Amino acid sequence: MNAPYDGDRGQGAGGDPAGQVPPSPPPAPDPYVQDAYKQDPYWAQDLSAQDPVTEALYDRASHPPPPPGTYQETQELYQQPPAQQYAPDPRIWAQTPPPEPSGPSRHLPYGDDARTTQFTGVDDLVSRAGDESPPADAFAHLYRDQQGSGQVLTAPEPEAAPAPPPAKKSGGKAAGLLKSSAVMAAGTLVSRLTGFVRSLVITAALGAALLGDSFTVAYTLPTMIYILTVGGGLNSVFVPQLVRAMKNDDDGGVAYANRLLTLVMVALGAIVAAAVFAAPLLVRLMSDTIASDPASNNVAVTFARYCLPTIFFMGVHVVMGQILNARGKFGAMMWTPVLNNIVMIATFGLFIWVYGTAADSSMTVRTIPPDGVRLLGLGTLLGLVVQALAMIPYLTETGFRFRPRFDWKGHGLGKTVKLAKWTVLFVLANQAGVLVVTQLATAAGEASGKTGTGILAYSNAQLIWGMPQAIITVSVMAALLPRISRAAHDGDPGAVRDDISQGLRNSAVAIVPIAFGFLALGVPLSILMFSSSGMESARSMGFILMAFALGLIPYSVQYVVLRGFYAYEDTRTPFYNTVIVAAVNAAASALCYVLLPSRWAVVGMAASYGLAYAVGVGVAWRRLKNRLGGDLDGGRVLRTYARLCLAAVPGALAAGGVAYAVLGALGSSAVSSVVALVAGGVVLLAVFFVAAKKMRIEEMNAMVGMVRGRLGR
């Protein structure tokens, strides 16, 4: 590179005063000068030879590139001046141009006069379209420096090296998002598994008769009150406002978070005080059968007064968790419920250690000691207290300090409350259906005179039945939800339809055989899990699980279809759909209670639950189909589900026959149920796989190929 031009030193300057040094051979053109006017450093290359980032983003399906080597070079708009025969001697200084006046009279590189010329050429029209600047040229800084000095060939002044950028964590945003999702998914899975173990221990300790129903009513009551009062609003309305305040407020939303947490604590404190005082009325509202019996009413009210303060800690836990989520800390919200489950498991385990299982002690609402009620009540309360207090160290780590603030007026909290209207109505409709089923199930269980026919048996069977949905369908849709939301935002109903169809068909490959598996193996599965509460109650819960079984298919479909409405930010349609489901469920359950014997009434209510979701799917499908222009890929989805069901029917029949034979030969016990489950499960999967392969179900073949690829076969 030539030395900077700082003056005229004459021909004799340097080491050769006489100027007799022979001229050096012409060097290659300077790459910094010959491409100075080119806007795109890659414009003369083949499209197939672009940089890796552009190559990854290039859509070859829509715009196939020409074969390599056939791309015609575009004629340059600005030709470089012909190179001189002999390059200037670097030891000889060049002439300094005369100084130019500043302002509009300064000379421009193209030789135009700025006083009379306005540049609106093709380059400006193309590169500035949409007010977006083109990507910076690798050599553009040379041209800018040349403009600033008024010389075309002047080398740029050396610039200070920029400060190194702050070190980023490995992986960037994508890796951080995947890591957060993995932490949340693992926490949710562990929480569900420990919650399932908690239900097993509760059933083993209290049984599935009136005593277990009384505790179930008292334990369910705080959750229902919390959701009906502030839970729905916190999750759907206050949390987005909290995140917005943290982004926009000068203090990072700390004041808003303190106001919200203070408001929630005050509101929940008042709700807890009123609920504890009105516990007898609330128990009667949940179950008139339990409230009408003095012994069971006394136990239920006592349990309720221990459990109702958990409303306060539920709300505090949710607000603290959402404050952490807004600050990028996702693990605590998902993992702290595990502590609650562990405390409750330890509490009921201690109860079993002292008093024995329900099958051994035959404990009832009349024989349970007050110390036992106190132990279970305090343990239940302690679990929620530990869950809420465990959030404090995580908040402290983020720098958040709670300071009570009562200046609620004029800070947007009132407006936020109004936005929760549809969410509150949604929750109210859902809980109304739960309330009807609770009343009818407890009444049927007491009237039957048999264990395992009440609300506790219904809840346990529903817990088992819903786990595949929570693990499989939710996981499938977690990968598709961002795509569905983007397609809805871009106004592409075809992409929304394709993604929903894909989600339905992919989840069906696992959901359909599992649903038929519950139908065939519900009894041995329940005997294995709930035999500690008595063989009769375990068998009754198995029948309830069998009644729930096929309803898993419309339940899963409903979940996927509603994601389409949420992608369009439509919460009103899911509310109306929930009203329809709750109304059908309540009406069908009432008919089962009236028409069926008490022994089978709860079994009929379990079947009514699936029927209600089948009706809901029909309504939601039609509305979403109209929303997407009359096409929801229904024919393809229906064919997939029909073929999977046809493949699962012979497998379920064979598995049910094998399980029944094993239980008949070995008797009803935990050991025989394991043998029946293993044998029946193997038969079900084998027959289903062979039938699905014969039917050439596309989604099944794709899943098998994926599994083989993961296994390296």
Side-chain angles (χ1 to χ4, degrees):
M1 183 68 69
N2 292 339
Y5 303 146
D6 57 354
D8 183 12
R9 303 187 183 183
Q11 293 289 333
D16 184 28
Q20 298 177 356
V21 177
S24 59
D30 191 349
Y32 290 93
V33 176
Q34 70 177 359
D35 291 331
Y37 299 105
K38 290 186 178 180
Q39 188 172 354
D40 185 0
Y42 302 107
W43 73 337
Q45 299 183 13
D46 290 347
L47 290 179
S48 60
Q50 297 293 331
D51 63 292
V53 175
T54 307
E55 173 66 17
L57 299 178
Y58 187 75
D59 188 0
R60 294 178 175 271
S62 300
H63 307 284
T70 62
Y71 185 79
Q72 298 296 329
E73 182 174 355
T74 307
Q75 184 68 28
E76 296 183 354
L77 296 177
Y78 307 107
Q79 298 288 345
Q80 292 291 336
Q84 298 180 1
Q85 183 177 4
Y86 302 105
D89 192 335
R91 295 169 295 182
I92 300 176
W93 300 96
Q95 292 286 343
T96 301
E100 301 181 18
S102 59
S105 64
R106 81 182 283 275
H107 179 71
L108 296 178
Y110 298 122
D112 299 296
D113 191 348
R115 295 172 295 181
T116 60
T117 305
Q118 180 179 4
F119 295 97
T120 56
V122 174
D123 287 349
D124 286 337
L125 291 177
V126 173
S127 62
R128 301 181 186 276
D131 294 332
E132 293 185 1
S133 300
D137 186 355
F139 310 115
H141 63 282
L142 296 177
Y143 178 60
R144 289 195 301 268
D145 293 341
Q146 293 162 5
Q147 279 187 314
S149 63
Q151 300 185 29
V152 176
L153 301 178
T154 302
E157 291 290 335
E159 299 179 358
K168 295 183 179 180
K169 295 183 179 180
S170 178
K173 292 184 178 180
L177 179 60
L178 291 176
K179 182 179 179 181
S180 300
S181 301
V183 170
M184 295 171 68
T188 302
L189 181 60
V190 174
S191 178
R192 287 185 177 274
L193 292 177
T194 54
F196 182 70
V197 175
R198 178 196 66 200
S199 298
L200 296 180
V201 178
I202 291 175
T203 305
L206 301 179
L210 191 58
L211 177 58
D213 290 350
S214 299
F215 177 81
T216 302
V217 167
Y219 183 69
T220 307
L221 190 57
T223 304
M224 182 177 294
I225 295 175
Y226 165 74
I227 293 176
L228 286 174
T229 53
V230 299
L234 279 178
N235 289 322
S236 64
V237 178
F238 281 101
V239 169
Q241 296 292 328
L242 177 65
V243 174
R244 189 174 298 110
M246 290 181 177
K247 290 182 178 180
N248 299 332
D249 293 355
D250 295 335
D251 61 349
V254 174
Y256 186 91
N258 281 321
R259 292 188 190 98
L260 177 60
L261 189 54
T262 305
L263 176 61
V264 169
M265 293 174 69
V266 171
L268 291 177
I271 292 171
V272 167
V276 170
F277 178 77
L281 296 176
L282 295 174
V283 170
R284 183 171 294 277
L285 180 66
M286 292 288 291
S287 174
D288 186 70
T289 302
I290 292 177
S292 299
D293 183 70
S296 61
N297 181 69
N298 181 54
V299 172
V301 170
T302 305
F303 276 138
R305 283 178 170 157
Y306 281 110
C307 296
L308 284 170
T310 60
I311 298 173
F312 177 85
F313 297 101
M314 287 181 194
V316 171
H317 175 263
V318 169
V319 176
M320 288 182 174
Q322 296 300 343
I323 292 174
L324 287 172
N325 290 351
R327 286 166 166 75
K329 304 291 183 180
F330 300 96
M333 186 72 172
M334 300 301 167
W335 283 93
T336 48
V338 177
L339 299 176
N340 173 38
N341 294 333
I342 292 175
V343 171
M344 291 193 64
I345 291 171
T347 299
F348 282 85
L350 181 61
F351 182 90
I352 293 174
W353 183 67
V354 174
Y355 300 104
T357 63
D360 298 331
S361 65
S362 300
M363 191 175 293
T364 65
V365 291
R366 290 173 176 80
T367 60
I368 184 172
D371 291 341
V373 175
R374 190 177 303 113
L375 171 64
L376 298 181
L378 289 175
T380 303
L381 177 59
L382 180 62
L384 265 298
V385 173
V386 171
Q387 173 180 308
L389 295 181
M391 305 291 285
I392 296 178
Y394 294 96
L395 283 174
T396 304
E397 185 181 356
T398 63
F400 179 81
R401 298 293 184 274
F402 173 61
R403 299 289 185 271
R405 300 197 59 159
F406 298 91
D407 53 336
W408 303 327
K409 189 175 182 180
H411 293 281
L413 292 177
K415 179 182 179 181
T416 304
V417 172
K418 297 179 181 179
L419 297 176
K421 176 180 66 175
W422 291 111
T423 301
V424 172
L425 292 175
F426 177 92
V427 171
L428 184 61
N430 192 29
Q431 295 302 314
V434 174
L435 186 62
V436 172
V437 172
T438 303
Q439 284 276 8
L440 297 176
T442 52
E446 179 64 16
S448 68
K450 295 182 178 297
T451 59
T453 57
I455 186 62
L456 178 60
Y458 182 95
S459 300
N460 287 340
Q462 189 179 38
L463 179 64
I464 300 173
W465 171 80
M467 288 191 70
Q469 152 75 14
I471 296 174
I472 297 172
T473 307
V474 173
S475 299
V476 170
M477 291 307 298
L480 292 177
L481 273 176
R483 288 169 47 179
I484 295 176
S485 299
R486 284 195 297 268
H489 182 268
D490 296 339
D492 188 355
V496 174
R497 175 207 61 201
D498 293 342
D499 289 336
I500 290 178
S501 173
Q502 180 182 351
L504 287 170
R505 291 180 285 108
N506 289 348
S507 60
V509 174
I511 291 295
V512 170
I514 290 176
F516 280 89
F518 285 151
L519 181 63
L521 306 173
V523 172
L525 181 61
S526 296
I527 290 176
L528 174 63
M529 294 182 175
F530 303 111
S531 59
S532 59
S533 63
M535 202 57 61
E536 181 184 13
S537 61
R539 191 177 293 106
S540 297
M541 281 185 269
F543 294 141
I544 297 174
L545 179 58
M546 293 174 65
F548 268 119
L550 296 184
L552 183 63
I553 298 174
Y555 183 66
S556 174
V557 173
Q558 169 93 336
Y559 179 87
V560 177
V561 171
L562 290 185
R563 301 310 104 181
F565 295 107
Y566 292 137
Y568 285 101
E569 300 180 354
D570 180 5
T571 58
R572 180 180 299 186
T573 301
F575 159 69
Y576 288 126
N577 196 260
T578 302
V579 171
I580 294 172
V581 171
V584 173
N585 185 30
S589 299
L591 287 176
C592 292
Y593 177 77
V594 173
L595 300 178
L596 296 177
S598 301
R599 171 74 175 83
W600 303 103
V602 176
V603 176
M605 295 177 194
S608 301
Y609 196 77
L611 174 64
Y613 274 96
V615 175
V617 165
V619 176
W621 186 278
R622 185 176 66 256
R623 292 185 176 180
L624 184 59
K625 181 179 178 181
N626 296 333
R627 182 70 177 264
L628 299 180
D631 184 13
L632 200 51
D633 202 14
R636 186 181 182 188
V637 172
L638 186 60
R639 284 192 300 271
T640 299
Y641 274 86
R643 290 182 177 182
L644 289 171
C645 290
L646 289 176
V649 167
L653 292 175
V658 170
Y660 180 80
V662 171
L663 292 178
L666 302 179
S668 297
S669 65
V671 176
S672 62
S673 65
V674 172
V675 177
L677 278 176
V678 173
V682 170
V683 171
L684 173 63
L685 291 178
V687 176
F688 173 77
F689 177 76
V690 172
K693 189 174 182 180
K694 292 293 184 181
M695 294 182 182
R696 298 180 180 178
I697 300 176
E698 176 185 353
E699 292 75 17
M700 186 70 185
N701 295 333
M703 186 185 72
V704 172
M706 180 188 68
V707 173
R708 287 180 176 176
R710 294 291 179 88
L711 296 177
R713 296 180 179 179

